């Protein structure tokens, strides 16, 4: 846990803002590539090209002594993450950037529910109310019964569920191996699991497409690194609300670059989800800080 003396909120906000820009870069690049390449192949090449970023981690990966349980969990995470990535790439070719961004905000909500169901974490009434608000936001975005849903919407639902499941598995692993090993093994396993799906519907990529996909890998790696720096600088309650800017940028980018109309319902739904996620992060910070405050008079 970050001590109050180590809090650097302004720096954390800047890092998180840069994280959002990087992830918008990922979405814009994938959107630009369009449906010219099968989603599984696009995802596979993105991870394959991204393996170059594992070179500095290689000595640590070689020294890691993984148990049978660790191998099983890494395999499970790789399989789930691979499926989620395929769904995400498919969704990016079917629905607007703003919809993908807003629906992606559901990841922490699914993680919270999964932690309660599978890791035994307690769900208080306030947290349940926040989860209910988030699902209301998702319904506002999708508006089932009021419009025809695209397969991309369903793909994005499965993508968010898959990413949340992969996160929960990673959370189990962080106590056993270093973060570098967790990230490195995830990248390797996802690449392996994506390979057969990519080869089943392979389209020879052009050098231009490979260059764009390498740019996706650069944006994604930089974004995750910036996010790590933001979490180190301040608690999630400080950084989480900043991610709402990503929806603003996504809406503007979709409108300016891809002629996607700005949908007020998507913005409203995303706002509700982000409010719920921020509240959960704030409550978690308060609960973690409570023992420290209680212990202060005795110190």
């Amino acid at each position: 846990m970050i001590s109050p003396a180590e809090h650097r909120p302004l720096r954390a906000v800047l890092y998180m803002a840069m994280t959002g820009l990087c992830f918008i870069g990922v979405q814009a690049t994938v959107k630009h590539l369009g449906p010219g390449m099968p989603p599984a192949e696009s995802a596979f090449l993105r991870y394959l090209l991204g393996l170059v970023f594992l070179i500095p981690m290689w000595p640590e990966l070689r020294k890691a002594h993984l148990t049978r349980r660790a191998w099983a969990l890494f395999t499970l995470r790789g399989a789930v993450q691979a499926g989620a990535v395929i769904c995400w790439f498919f969704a990016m070719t079917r629905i607007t950037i703003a919809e993908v961004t807003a629906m992606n905000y559901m990841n922490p909500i699914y993680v919270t529910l999964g932690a309660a169901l599978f890791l035994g974490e307690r769900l208080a009434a306030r947290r349940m109310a926040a989860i209910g608000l988030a699902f209301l936001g998702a319904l506002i975005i999708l508006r089932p019964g009021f419009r025809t849903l695209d397969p991309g919407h369903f793909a994005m639902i499965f993508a968010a569920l898959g990413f949340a499941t992969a996160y929960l598995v990673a959370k189990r692993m962080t106590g056993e191996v270093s973060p570098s090993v967790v990230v490195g093994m995830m990248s390797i396993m996802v690449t392996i699991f994506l390979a057969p799906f990519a080869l089943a519907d392979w389209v020879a990529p052009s050098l231009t497409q490979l260059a764009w996909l390498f740019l996706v890998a650069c944006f994604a790696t930089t974004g995750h690194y910036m996010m790590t720096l933001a979490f180190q600088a301040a608690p999630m309650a400080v950084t989480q609300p900043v991610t709402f800017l990503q929806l603003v940028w996504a809406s503007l980018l979709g409108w300016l670059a891809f002629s996607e109309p700005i949908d007020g319902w998507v913005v409203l739904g995303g706002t509700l989800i982000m409010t719920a996620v921020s509240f959960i992060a704030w409550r978690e910070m308060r609960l973690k800080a409570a023992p420290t405050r209680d212990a202060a008079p005795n110190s």
Side-chain angles (χ1 to χ4, degrees):
M1 179 180 167
I2 304 170
S3 66
E6 295 174 326
H7 285 181
R8 297 184 296 274
L10 180 58
R11 185 176 298 184
V13 167
L14 291 174
Y15 281 142
M16 208 62 188
M18 293 174 69
T19 297
L21 285 174
C22 288
F23 289 154
I24 288 297
V26 170
Q27 293 174 322
T29 308
V30 173
K31 194 77 172 180
H32 173 73
L33 281 170
M37 184 183 293
E41 182 181 349
S42 297
F44 168 71
L45 289 173
R46 170 261 182 269
Y47 272 88
L48 182 67
L49 293 169
L51 291 180
V52 67
F53 298 108
L54 297 186
I55 293 175
M57 303 178 190
W58 184 243
E60 191 169 354
L61 285 171
R62 288 187 61 186
K63 294 177 183 177
H65 298 289
L66 301 180
T67 63
R68 184 176 299 179
R69 176 179 177 276
W71 278 108
L73 288 175
F74 279 133
T75 302
L76 173 62
R77 187 192 182 191
V80 173
Q81 182 95 0
V85 168
I86 292 174
C87 289
W88 187 89
F89 270 80
F90 176 76
M92 279 300 303
T93 65
R94 300 285 308 196
I95 59 179
T96 67
I97 294 177
E99 286 178 306
V100 170
T101 301
M103 293 177 70
N104 208 48
Y105 286 157
M106 289 297 294
N107 288 2
I109 301 299
Y110 296 142
V111 168
T112 301
L113 285 173
L117 292 173
F118 303 110
L119 301 183
E121 294 188 8
R122 191 173 66 87
L123 279 182
R126 292 179 182 178
R127 189 170 291 197
M128 286 295 294
I131 290 172
L133 181 66
F135 277 106
L136 174 61
L139 286 175
I140 290 174
I141 294 169
L142 296 173
R143 302 190 297 285
F146 294 92
R147 66 166 177 168
T148 302
L149 295 180
D150 188 273
H153 292 115
F154 296 104
M156 196 56 218
I157 292 172
F158 284 112
L161 286 168
F163 288 138
T165 303
Y167 178 88
L168 287 170
V169 176
K171 190 175 180 180
R172 277 289 183 95
M173 295 305 303
T174 52
E176 300 183 21
V177 294
S178 70
S180 296
V181 174
V182 172
V183 173
M185 289 299 297
M186 182 271 290
S187 299
I188 293 170
M189 286 295 185
V190 172
T191 305
I192 292 172
F193 276 105
L194 286 172
F197 294 98
L199 294 174
D201 190 20
W202 186 262
V203 176
S206 65
L207 290 177
T208 302
Q209 287 174 316
L210 290 175
W212 280 111
L213 286 169
F214 182 70
L215 183 61
V216 171
C218 292
F219 275 132
T221 303
T222 305
H224 284 291
Y225 180 67
M226 289 294 168
M227 185 188 298
T228 302
L229 292 178
F231 291 162
Q232 288 176 345
M236 285 188 67
V238 174
T239 60
Q240 200 67 58
V242 185
T243 60
F244 177 73
L245 287 174
Q246 191 174 337
L247 180 57
V248 176
W249 293 328
S251 299
L252 291 174
L253 178 68
W255 176 50
L256 294 172
F258 301 103
S259 301
E260 297 175 348
I262 296 179
D263 190 335
W265 293 108
V266 173
V267 175
L268 174 60
T271 302
L272 291 178
I273 296 172
M274 199 65 254
T275 301
V277 171
S278 298
F279 175 79
I280 289 173
W282 175 78
R283 283 291 298 168
E284 187 169 329
M285 183 188 71
R286 290 289 299 270
L287 290 172
K288 287 181 178 179
T292 303
R293 291 197 303 269
D294 294 341
N298 300 322
S299 59

